[in-house]
Amino acid sequence: MIVERTYQVDLIKTLATDPSIYPHVSDDFLTPEEWTPSIDELVINLVARDVKGYFGFGIFMPRYWSCYDAHFGFLPRSYGDDALNAFKRMLNLMWANTKAFRIVGEICAGNRRAIAFAKRAGCSEYGINVKSRLRGGILRDQVCFGISKP
């Protein structure tokens, strides 16, 4: 497995808008065709691949130099150990190559699989962002997670 930084916006878009991922990470405001990843140099886009090809991504946007907002997605073929190992490698790359001491993210409260994954990966729940994401015409809560540099 290889985890690396990419500047290939089309690759990130292909992964993020995959039908197995996009409905779980998007809101009602953009269709997959309209959504585009940030190309700002401060944003760190990481991808994971194996012999079968690319299977996951992590988008890290600095909130402050010491804290990044993260957005992840993994294709179903990688669920389990592959996704978990890729996630941990992405975190290790961030700890080693940025000033980040904390990485945070939000997961829609109804996305039980992603919440379980975050907990299994060592992230801690620190709050609820109430009625903050419009999905399916309904404002939904998001669970706030974070992980600190070891």
Side-chain angles (χ1 to χ4, degrees), residues 15-94:
L15 290 166
T17 60
D18 186 277
S20 67
I21 295 174
Y22 195 75
H24 305 288
V25 299
S26 63
D27 59 26
D28 286 353
F29 296 106
L30 291 175
T31 66
E33 295 76 28
E34 295 169 322
W35 183 83
T36 184
S38 176
I39 54 171
D40 189 305
E41 181 62 31
L42 296 176
V43 174
I44 298 172
N45 294 308
L46 301 177
V47 289
R49 63 183 165 95
D50 59 15
V51 295
K52 297 177 188 172
Y54 291 97
F55 65 84
F57 70 93
I59 301 171
F60 299 85
M61 297 176 287
R63 183 181 284 190
Y64 315 103
W65 288 111
S66 59
C67 183
Y68 281 72
D69 285 311
H71 303 274
F72 291 91
F74 296 97
L75 297 176
R77 75 172 180 83
S78 71
Y79 288 178
D81 289 340
D82 288 343
L84 187 60
N85 289 334
F87 178 84
K88 289 180 178 182
R89 287 182 187 195
M90 288 178 187
L91 291 178
N92 287 335
L93 279 171
M94 290 299 294

